[in-house]
Amino acid sequence: MTSLRIADEVRDAIAARRPVVALESTILSHGLPRPDNLAVGRRLESIVRAGGAVPATVAVIDGALVVGASDDEIVRLASEPDVVKVSRRDLPIVIARRALGATTVSATMIGAARAGIAVFATGGIGGVHRGFETSLDVSADLAELGRENVCVVCAGAKSILDLPRTMEVLETLGVPVLGWQTRELPAFFARESGLSLDHRVEGAAEVATILRAKWSLGLAGGVLVAVPPPIVSALPSLEIDALVTAAVEEAHQRGIRGKELTPYLLTRLREATEGRSLVANVALVSENTRIATQIACALSG
Ligand code: PSU
Ligand code: MN
């Protein structure tokens, strides 16, 4: 008996060395409001297909870590009430209890790596939270990036985090961070963070060469590709920063912490921007998925 279930289409594509892109499910169940979440989940899958690859949404369903959820399963993830947010530590429990679980970046990387998928698209990774000095809140995503051989395409890390410290931890863990046609780390909703990156890449072929170089040397762990959010919907960093500072303070006052914190902050930002942060979020995750598909194609070619 295995706790890993790979969809036939995904398994066939991997066996034939055709490109596959992993997608996470926490963004569907916990990161985006209903009913937009279902439309986004389907849209990301169709972006991957339009780019010539096979999508593999990862989640915990009926006692297995599923790589390649069906459309029915995506509907469940987007609509059922008590979907559990699953990071590495939660995986065995949610599998054993046969609960429905949405995988974060960390648990999605595990599913992708076990299935043999090298490229994964998401919105933003978790990282070191602001106020880390007192809370010790560091997302399990960072440790996973140091461990699993998966290229994670994201829009940097959300400015709800402490970005300079997040970058320090990534360096310690040996995770390369590649700016996609930029030298500045994007800050998820905002194109600018004020933090410069050491490495800029121009296209998918270049990323594929870097991935091969890393993994052929036996350097285990992920690579982060940081894509600036599309200009049309990106939010000004000054505006976002002020709203984040207020939301973080509010969460602190209300005692919201642990795994509840990220969804709470995202919801508050959505309210404070009257939905503009949601538009930005959908646009950037779509763009990241498009670029991840190009990278998966370059890697398999
Ligand atoms: N980025 C988003 N929306 C999200 C997340 C990231 O735009 O919902 C999720 C991802 O699944 C990420 C998780 O792995 O938040 C990190 O949660 P935490 O900070 O609790 O580790
Ligand atoms: Mn945390």
Side-chain angles (χ1 to χ4, degrees):
M1 202 206 82
T2 168
S3 327
L4 185 69
R5 193 187 93 208
I6 305 173
D8 291 343
E9 185 193 14
V10 172
R11 189 184 290 281
D12 291 349
I14 294 165
R17 298 188 174 280
R18 281 184 280 116
V20 180
V21 175
L23 299 166
E24 65 152 307
S25 44
T26 291
I27 185 170
L28 301 182
S29 303
H30 307 280
L32 297 170
R34 299 162 192 205
D36 309 66
N37 59 347
L38 175 59
V40 173
R42 287 176 167 158
R43 172 154 149 201
L44 300 182
E45 294 226 330
S46 59
I47 290 171
V48 173
R49 289 192 194 283
V54 173
T57 297
V58 176
V60 178
I61 304 165
D62 298 333
L65 177 58
V66 171
V67 179
S70 66
D71 190 65
D72 284 352
E73 291 167 340
I74 290 173
V75 171
R76 288 181 62 194
L77 289 161
S79 56
E80 281 194 21
D82 303 303
V83 186
V84 186
K85 176 176 165 184
V86 179
S87 72
R88 165 181 271 257
R89 62 159 197 190
D90 311 294
L91 261 179
I93 301 142
V94 179
I95 289 171
R97 300 205 167 137
R98 309 185 73 80
L100 184 64
T103 50
T104 63
V105 169
S106 72
T108 305
M109 286 184 78
I110 293 170
R114 298 297 177 278
I117 301 171
V119 185
F120 160 30
T122 183
I125 59 161
V128 179
H129 277 268
R130 296 191 191 187
F132 159 83
E133 312 82 291
T134 50
S135 69
L136 283 190
D137 190 347
V138 180
S139 176
D141 293 354
L142 297 184
E144 216 57 59
L145 278 160
R147 199 149 39 200
E148 302 288 357
N149 295 5
V150 179
C151 172
V152 179
V153 182
C154 67
K158 284 175 292 288
S159 48
I160 59 175
L161 301 169
D162 184 325
L163 296 181
R165 284 177 169 145
T166 299
M167 294 300 287
E168 291 296 342
V169 173
L170 288 169
E171 180 184 354
T172 302
L173 294 171
V175 179
V177 181
L178 311 175
W180 180 267
Q181 298 168 358
T182 181
R183 270 272 182 176
E184 183 174 2
L185 178 72
F188 195 74
F189 296 122
R191 291 176 64 85
E192 59 284 331
S193 66
L195 296 175
S196 62
L197 295 172
D198 289 335
H199 308 289
R200 171 184 166 128
V201 291
E202 301 307 327
E206 201 180 343
V207 176
T209 309
I210 291 167
L211 295 176
R212 288 192 198 100
K214 177 172 165 70
W215 294 330
S216 70
L217 262 183
L219 295 174
V223 170
L224 210 57
V225 175
V227 181
I231 293 175
V232 280
S233 55
L235 304 179
S237 67
L238 273 180
E239 177 192 358
I240 272 290
D241 274 351
L243 297 176
V244 167
T245 304
V248 168
E249 175 57 25
E250 196 182 283
H252 183 69
Q253 297 295 336
R254 299 185 54 184
I256 291 162
R257 51 197 176 76
K259 69 199 285 191
E260 313 302 335
L261 183 60
T262 295
Y264 178 83
L265 294 175
L266 289 173
T267 303
R268 289 298 296 125
L269 284 180
R270 196 153 65 225
E271 291 162 0
T273 60
E274 291 169 327
R276 280 181 298 129
S277 71
L278 174 60
V279 175
N281 201 339
V282 173
L284 68 87
V285 71
S286 302
E287 175 73 355
N288 297 346
T289 301
R290 200 175 62 77
I291 287 161
T293 305
Q294 291 175 11
I295 295 169
C297 290
L299 199 60
S300 81

